[in-house]
């Protein structure tokens, strides 16, 4: 893409309040306009301090943690901070009944106690390069969308291969601005990452799902890890002899805290946003797709909750599933509500009228955008039933645990049906299925799943027309819930996939003969019915439609940039390193209600309720509160702050991202967004969108005063 022209004076930019917190900027592309705005908002460093390839900069301290979170380096010995909920899976894996680190927390008192985590990696961005011209070499307007994609894929692979050889780093080309711009990313992935510290869940997950997505918040959502490397300071597989990583840069930590209005910025790995969709797409998501998905999840949560309330074992078994289902459920409710509150669809519609007028006035032989909006409308009308059908398959079909478990056996069946089945591959599949079987049954409670199945199937039949249901649903005599109940009971009575012993027996000495037992199983037949439906009725049309929507979206993005040539655009999130900047700020979530910008430990004590699992307060923490023993981590007024809210635009993947102050010093870790602002993935509202961060002083207080792990703090660079 050719450089965007920045004609607008800075004065105009602020007068229009163009960003005010909105934006996820590519660190390398933060330009003088961004810099001026950041400095006008209070920043005292330069963008060169944030990203540079000539000297160490902030970007050297930010890493992708695992495959879905962010972490930051906070000492010259590779010490990392991320969220507790990002480390959760790893901490759970390290836990046993004797060493229950999830419940009791974990603190390595010296390096030899730090725990290795096979499979866990962190990835660091070394450098970025605009390779748009190379990626688009040989691409012509006459090409079909498929030809175009293929050509670009080949180009990008060649670019990345060459870069890898030349640099010795990993390299990958990613598309930005809906395939209008391409960047080469050089990265390094570290593979020996050890657990250093985690607070108990009553602190790290305080508030749990009750408070999830909500402000005011009191969660100590952090955990600590360390990067280990070979003697050459380069990534290496786990080895006891590995040594702590010496980073090019580590974040200094400020003990000064933040005040309302302070400039902050967040650096991290946001996964996905869709800010440039047409109104039809926004309507499809918020008014057609979300409502069914919310309802289907609501049914499951109700059933989980009913059983969990009376049976502590079931409550534990379903805790993590419940958290996952609830996280998406709550997010979608907030998102649809938020778009309605801000009239998002109407805003987009009126922008589209303006766009078409502009397109008519500016149409030329080489650029005619007048047909774009009608083309979107047509495409999204066609997409709607297909999208809803896929939603139902995922949320209703696969929402039944029995069905999603049975679907895991498809690979095995497929492999065994091959003319020359690969014995080694079969062995691996069986091994993996055995371990999946163990973890499935550890947390499976059949009465819940039966009830879930009846609910989801009833909703499916009531809300999807015959032609958009997989065949098995149309074979059910669904005249009443009773008949559906009978169907479900038969299914569960007959399927072997509800019986751990039967599944283990199936997988022991697996022979081709046993394939038949899988294939004839009624749960597996449902899996196949869903697959057949997808293959025959959905996949092909969906692929074609998505192809044409992608190309419309590419042209629309380009056209919007031409139309608003004086505006700075930021690309949708795509799991690449971004910078979001804003101010610490409270907000009015509803008429007459004001939320302050910070919370304190007093709020934890206020919430204290032994009856509610999410609101249990640790006894030692209570004692520290009673003694007001906050040391140097207290605020000026002697209180201990826990969390704060700011206007930085963030999304999933930004969990664990450092929040930095005007001097580029760490003041907190991002871990959530407020509910009223969750529509920011589609449209940002400066009045409602707030990111939620845990105050770094609360984290240090927990490490020092609560855990007695002050040696970790001694490693850090504190700014008093
Ligand atoms: N809402 C946050 C996010 O989207 C936190 C999720 C984890 N916490 C929970 N209570 N489920 O990732
Ligand atoms: N909790 C989210 C995560 O895991 C971040 C919250 C958000 O979506 O903004 O990345």
């Amino acid at each position: 893409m050719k450089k965007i022209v920045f004609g607008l004076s800075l004065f105009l930019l602020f007068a229009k309040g163009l960003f005010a917190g909105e934006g996820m900027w590519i660190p390398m592309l933060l330009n003088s306009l961004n810099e001026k705005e950041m400095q006008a908002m209070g920043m005292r460093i330069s963008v060169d301090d944030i990203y540079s390839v000539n000297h160490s900069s902030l970007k050297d301290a930010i890493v992708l943690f695992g495959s879905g979170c962010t972490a930051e380096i906070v000492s010259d010995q590779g010490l990392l901070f991320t969220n507790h909920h990002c480390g959760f899976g790893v901490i759970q894996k390290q836990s046993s009944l004797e060493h229950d680190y999830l419940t009791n927390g974990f603190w390595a008192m010296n390096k030899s106690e730090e725990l290795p985590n096979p499979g866990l990696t962190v990835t660091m961005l070394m450098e970025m390069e605009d390779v748009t011209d190379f990626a688009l070499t040989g691409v012509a307007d006459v090409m079909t969308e498929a030809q175009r994609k293929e050509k670009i894929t080949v180009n990008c692979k060649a670019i990345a291969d060459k870069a890898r050889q030349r640099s010795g780093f990993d390299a990958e080309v990613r598309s930005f601005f809906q395939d209008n711009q391409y960047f080469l990313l050089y990265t390094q992935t570290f593979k020996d990452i050890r657990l250093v510290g985690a607070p108990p869940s009553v602190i790290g997950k305080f508030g749990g799902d009750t408070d999830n997505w909500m402000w005011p918040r009191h969660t100590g959502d952090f955990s600590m890890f360390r990067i280990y490397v070979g003697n050459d300071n380069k990534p290496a597989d786990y080895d006891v002899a590995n040594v702590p990583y010496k980073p090019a840069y580590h974040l200094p930590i400020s003990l000064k805290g933040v005040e309302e209005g302070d400039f902050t910025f967040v650096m991290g790995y946001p996964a996905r946003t869709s800010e440039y969709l047409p109104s039809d797409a926004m309507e499809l998501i918020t008014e057609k797709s979300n409502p069914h998905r919310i309802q289907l999840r609501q049914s499951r949560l109700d059933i989980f909750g009913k059983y969990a309330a009376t049976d502590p074992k079931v409550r534990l078994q379903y805790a993590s599933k419940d958290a996952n289902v609830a996280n998406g459920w709550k997010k979608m409710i907030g998102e649809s509500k938020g778009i309605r509150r801000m009239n998002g669809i109407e805003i987009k519609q009126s922008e589209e009228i303006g766009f078409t007028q502009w397109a008519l006035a500016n149409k030329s032989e080489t650029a005619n955008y007048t047909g774009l909006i009608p083309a979107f409308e047509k495409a999204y009308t066609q997409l709607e039933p297909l999208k809803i059908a896929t939603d139902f398959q995922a949320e209703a079909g696969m929402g039944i645990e029995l069905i999603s478990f049975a679907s895991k056996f498809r690979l095995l069946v497929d492999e065994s049906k091959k003319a020359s089945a690969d014995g080694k591959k079969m062995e691996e599949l069986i091994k993996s299925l055995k371990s999946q079987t163990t973890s499935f049954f550890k947390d499976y409670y059949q009465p819940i799943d039966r009830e879930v199945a009846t609910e989801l199937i009833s909703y499916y039949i009531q809300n999807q027309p015959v032609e958009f249901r997989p065949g098995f649903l149309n074979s059910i005599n669904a005249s009443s819930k009773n008949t559906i109940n009978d169907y479900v009971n038969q299914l569960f009575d007959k399927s072997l996939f509800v019986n751990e012993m039967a599944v283990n027996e199936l997988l022991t000495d697996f022979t081709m003969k046993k394939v038949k037992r899988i294939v004839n199983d009624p749960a597996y037949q449902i899996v196949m019915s869903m697959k057949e439906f997808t293959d025959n009725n959905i996949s092909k049309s969906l692929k074609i439609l998505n192809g044409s929507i992608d190309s419309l979206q590419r042209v629309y993005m380009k056209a919007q940039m031409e139309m608003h040539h004086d505006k700075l655009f930021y690309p949708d999130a795509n799991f690449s390193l971004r910078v979001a900047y804003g101010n610490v700020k409270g907000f009015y979530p509803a008429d007459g209600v004001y939320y302050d910008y910070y919370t304190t430990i007093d709020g934890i004590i206020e919430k204290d309720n032994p009856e509610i699992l999410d609101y249990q307060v640790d006894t030692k923490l209570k004692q520290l509160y009673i003694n007001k023993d906050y040391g140097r981590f207290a605020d000026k007024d002697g209180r201990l702050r826990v969390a704060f809210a700011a206007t930085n635009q963030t999304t999933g993947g930004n969990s664990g991202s450092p929040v930095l102050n005007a001097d580029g010093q760490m003041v907190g870790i991002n871990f959530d967004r407020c509910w009223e602002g969750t529509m920011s993935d589609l449209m940002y509202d400066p009045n409602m969108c707030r990111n939620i961060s845990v105050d770094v002083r609360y984290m240090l207080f927990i490490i020092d005063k609560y855990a007695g792990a002050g040696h970790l703090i001694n490693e850090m660079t504190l700014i008093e």
Side-chain angles (χ1 to χ4, degrees):
M1 166 188 334
K2 298 297 151 229
K3 301 284 163 307
I4 312 147
V5 191
F6 309 110
L8 200 66
S9 80
L10 201 64
F11 170 75
L12 223 65
L13 188 80
F14 291 134
K16 281 177 142 182
L18 216 46
F19 305 139
E22 177 173 2
M24 296 179 169
W25 307 91
I26 300 175
M28 176 194 154
L29 295 190
L30 282 171
N31 61 23
S32 62
L33 259 188
N34 290 116
E35 186 172 49
K36 283 202 180 101
E37 190 188 37
M38 293 166 95
Q39 289 171 345
M41 289 165 81
M43 185 173 78
R44 287 186 285 265
I45 57 172
S46 71
V47 296
D48 194 51
D49 298 322
I50 296 177
Y51 178 96
S52 172
V53 288
N54 301 317
H55 52 82
S56 65
S57 57
L58 283 170
K59 79 130 179 39
D60 298 317
I62 320 295
V63 292
L64 174 72
F65 182 82
S67 56
C69 278
T70 304
E72 50 278 353
I73 303 175
V74 292
S75 87
D76 60 4
Q77 301 169 54
L79 190 62
L80 289 173
F81 267 135
T82 187
N83 287 144
H84 184 262
H85 82 259
C86 294
F88 199 81
V90 174
I91 304 167
Q92 180 171 40
K93 259 195 209 151
Q94 294 282 5
S95 298
S96 61
L97 277 181
E98 306 83 68
H99 303 285
D100 187 349
Y101 303 138
L102 267 189
T103 306
N104 306 317
F106 170 80
W107 305 97
M109 286 304 159
N110 55 58
K111 294 208 177 70
S112 71
E113 288 180 11
E114 298 177 357
L115 301 172
N117 303 286
L120 178 63
T121 60
V122 307
T123 301
M124 183 184 290
L125 173 71
M126 308 310 289
E127 197 175 336
M128 281 183 84
E129 193 182 327
D130 188 336
V131 292
T132 310
D133 290 343
F134 303 105
L136 296 180
T137 304
V139 171
D141 285 345
V142 293
M143 287 179 158
T144 64
E145 201 53 27
Q147 288 168 328
R148 186 191 154 91
K149 277 212 165 109
E150 157 133 33
K151 180 80 198 152
I152 294 175
T153 308
V154 171
N155 287 348
C156 290
K157 188 176 175 300
I159 297 167
D161 286 347
K162 219 163 111 193
R164 222 171 282 127
Q165 280 164 15
R166 197 178 50 224
S167 67
F169 293 130
D170 294 331
E172 186 199 359
V173 178
R174 288 263 186 96
S175 128
F176 292 73
F177 289 113
Q178 352 293 79
D179 296 340
N180 279 289
Q181 196 168 10
Y182 292 85
F183 277 92
L184 174 61
L185 309 180
Y186 293 92
T187 58
Q188 217 176 347
T189 296
F190 298 89
K191 290 173 282 192
D192 184 353
I193 313 300
R194 304 190 195 166
L195 177 62
V196 174
S201 289
V202 280
I203 291 172
K205 213 184 169 232
F206 182 78
D209 280 293
T210 313
D211 284 2
N212 191 23
W213 294 116
M214 302 221 285
W215 182 255
R217 197 66 161 275
H218 300 89
T219 315
D221 198 346
F222 78 95
S223 57
M224 302 176 82
F225 291 82
R226 191 188 304 279
I227 304 177
Y228 279 81
V229 288
N231 276 321
D232 53 2
N233 206 34
K234 297 222 166 82
D237 287 328
Y238 170 76
D239 191 316
V240 260
N242 282 348
V243 294
Y245 173 60
K246 288 192 198 63
Y249 191 74
H250 68 271
L251 299 182
I253 293 175
S254 168
L255 291 183
K256 290 184 208 130
V258 290
E259 299 303 322
E260 179 121 52
D262 279 1
F263 175 79
T264 54
F265 64 108
V266 170
M267 286 185 79
Y269 282 87
R272 198 164 52 228
T273 56
S274 314
E275 309 292 338
Y276 304 102
L277 294 176
S279 57
D280 298 302
M282 183 186 261
E283 189 173 0
L284 176 56
I285 295 169
T286 59
E287 296 301 335
K288 314 249 163 80
S289 168
N290 281 358
H292 285 306
R293 298 179 64 204
I294 291 166
Q295 196 48 55
L296 284 161
R297 284 181 180 226
Q298 177 80 62
S299 316
R300 285 159 77 193
L301 292 169
D302 288 347
I303 297 166
F304 293 171
K306 191 176 77 184
Y307 284 88
T310 56
D311 186 339
K313 182 172 172 228
V314 170
R315 190 180 65 213
L316 261 182
Q317 283 181 313
Y318 278 72
S320 167
K321 290 175 215 176
D322 189 87
N324 279 334
V325 177
N327 195 41
W329 164 81
K330 208 161 172 180
K331 155 90 197 292
M332 286 187 279
I333 295 176
E335 182 175 80
S336 288
K337 263 193 180 167
I339 291 296
R340 268 173 230 150
R341 186 194 320 105
M342 68 191 294
N343 293 318
I345 296 169
E346 292 77 5
I347 292 174
K348 290 247 177 198
Q349 281 167 344
S350 84
E351 281 171 6
E352 284 158 12
I353 293 172
F355 173 82
T356 300
Q357 281 165 354
W358 170 83
L360 276 167
N362 290 279
K363 98 176 178 198
S364 70
E365 246 167 64
T366 49
N368 182 354
Y369 303 126
T370 53
L372 262 180
I373 302 301
F376 269 129
E377 195 185 334
K378 195 172 147 213
Y380 277 101
T381 308
Q382 289 172 331
L383 183 69
E384 182 182 325
L386 302 176
K387 157 88 175 110
I388 305 291
T390 15
D391 287 347
F392 268 87
Q393 296 243 42
E395 298 281 349
M398 290 298 164
I400 303 166
E401 291 176 75
L402 166 61
I403 304 305
S404 78
F405 181 55
S407 76
K408 303 204 185 314
F409 288 74
R410 241 185 69 197
L411 285 177
L412 184 63
V413 173
D414 289 352
E415 188 59 42
S416 67
K417 278 189 176 158
K418 282 187 190 156
S420 55
D422 180 344
K424 192 147 171 262
K425 193 154 174 216
M426 295 274 291
E427 236 170 72
E428 272 166 24
L429 285 171
I430 289 168
K431 194 170 150 219
S432 149
L433 282 170
K434 277 183 182 162
S435 93
Q436 291 185 60
T437 300
T438 310
S439 45
F440 175 76
F441 284 103
K442 179 174 160 277
D443 290 336
Y444 185 63
Y445 189 59
Q446 210 192 111
I448 289 190
D449 204 25
R450 286 191 186 227
E451 211 167 315
V452 164
T454 307
E455 280 306 316
L456 299 192
I457 289 175
S458 308
Y459 190 88
Y460 209 142
I461 293 175
Q462 274 163 28
N463 291 281
Q464 276 290 74
V466 174
E467 68 273 26
F468 284 105
R469 296 180 203 149
F472 84 94
L473 287 174
N474 295 333
S475 69
I476 302 174
N477 168 9
S479 50
S480 74
K481 221 174 201 168
N482 276 343
T483 57
I484 294 175
N485 206 11
D486 291 344
Y487 171 86
V488 166
N489 281 334
Q490 267 198 32
L491 168 69
F492 279 73
D493 290 345
K494 283 194 187 143
S495 174
L496 71 92
F497 292 107
V498 291
N499 182 333
E500 183 167 12
M501 254 164 54
V503 178
N504 277 325
E505 194 273 319
L506 176 84
L507 290 170
T508 315
D509 304 322
F510 190 79
T511 56
M512 294 303 167
K513 260 213 224 127
K514 288 184 167 176
V515 176
K516 247 202 181 140
R517 275 164 52 193
I518 303 179
V519 174
N520 290 333
D521 188 274
Y524 191 80
Q525 283 175 351
I526 291 180
V527 173
M528 293 318 286
S529 163
M530 286 177 29
K531 178 181 167 353
E532 212 177 280
F533 168 72
T534 307
D535 290 350
N536 298 343
N537 304 41
I538 305 285
S539 297
K540 218 169 121 204
S541 328
L542 199 60
K543 197 166 165 216
I544 296 170
L545 258 176
N546 279 334
S548 56
I549 287 175
D550 283 352
S551 98
L552 289 173
Q553 205 55 72
R554 181 178 74 244
V555 178
Y556 188 41
M557 185 77 239
K558 177 165 169 271
Q560 289 182 76
M561 292 171 115
E562 283 173 22
M563 177 178 169
H564 303 287
H565 53 83
D566 51 4
K567 178 182 159 182
L568 266 183
F569 281 84
Y570 61 95
D572 273 328
N574 63 353
F575 252 132
S576 63
L577 184 62
R578 299 297 176 90
V579 174
Y581 53 89
N583 295 98
V584 173
K585 216 171 169 194
F587 65 111
Y588 290 91
D591 188 34
V593 183
Y594 184 72
Y595 281 163
D596 209 349
Y597 70 94
Y598 71 94
T599 60
T600 69
I601 192 171
D602 305 21
I604 297 180
I605 305 302
E606 274 172 22
K607 281 180 178 168
D608 183 9
N609 184 345
E611 303 283 302
I612 302 174
L613 192 68
D614 288 339
Y615 288 154
Q616 286 176 6
V617 180
D618 185 274
T619 25
K620 186 160 178 202
L621 188 67
K622 250 187 235 175
Q623 200 51 53
L624 290 163
Y625 166 80
I626 291 166
N627 300 342
K628 300 283 175 288
D629 185 6
Y630 310 144
R632 55 184 169 155
F633 310 114
D635 199 45
K636 289 181 288 292
D637 60 3
R639 296 166 79 198
L640 182 66
R641 296 200 184 184
V642 172
F644 62 91
T647 62
N648 307 288
Q649 187 180 358
T650 50
T651 189
N654 268 126
S655 278
S657 302
V659 187
L660 302 142
N661 66 11
D663 298 307
Q665 301 156 351
M666 183 167 172
V667 287
I669 302 188
N670 181 78
F671 69 96
D672 212 356
R673 263 177 295 167
C674 73
W675 207 16
E676 297 79 5
T678 40
M679 70 294 181
S680 62
D681 291 351
L682 302 174
M683 194 179 259
Y684 182 88
D685 178 354
N687 294 323
M688 288 291 178
C689 294
R690 296 292 178 271
N691 66 310
I692 300 177
S693 310
V694 49
D695 193 309
V696 76
R697 294 170 298 175
Y698 182 59
M699 294 158 39
L700 299 181
F701 159 81
I702 295 292
I703 296 169
D704 190 12
K705 299 278 180 180
Y706 175 87
H711 62 284
L712 295 172
I713 297 183
N714 295 339
E715 270 186 47
M716 303 173 194
T717 306
L718 299 193
I719 314 285
E720 304 259 357

